[in-house]
Amino acid sequence: MPATAVQELFFLPEVTAIAVTSGTILGVINLRGKFLPVMDLYRRLEQACPPFQLTDSMIVLEWQTQRAGQTHLIS
């Protein structure tokens, strides 16, 4: 994914769980009045998922016509 897909980066807000999701989707956040699906990058890459911390970040990506937030940034 190109770097131009990055829209913004901020500390992880509270994520609202939703009933029916894939294994990688944690839920949604309200980002300036629009619902944004939130994906856990560790789960997406099939790696062990450490617990969430206050210092975790979220990156908002827009690729083609899709927009999503990614958590658990891997350094």
Side-chain angles (χ1 to χ4, degrees):
M1 186 164 298
T4 56
V6 175
Q7 298 293 301
E8 57 188 298
L9 178 69
F10 48 84
F11 286 114
L12 181 63
E14 184 175 344
V15 177
T16 302
I18 53 178
V20 180
T21 65
S22 72
T24 60
I25 301 296
L26 296 174
V28 296
I29 64 167
N30 182 335
L31 185 62
R32 290 184 285 288
K34 294 186 178 184
F35 290 113
L36 182 70
V38 177
M39 179 185 296
D40 188 319
L41 191 55
Y42 275 97
R43 288 182 187 176
R44 177 77 174 114
L45 297 174
E46 298 178 356
Q47 296 183 3
C49 185
F52 290 105
Q53 299 181 18
L54 292 175
T55 56
D56 287 344
S57 297
M58 174 176 286
I59 186 169
V60 177
L61 302 170
E62 188 166 351
W63 177 245
Q64 297 173 347
T65 61
Q66 301 297 313
R67 193 168 192 215
Q70 299 276 333
T71 64
H72 275 128
L73 299 178
I74 299 173
S75 52

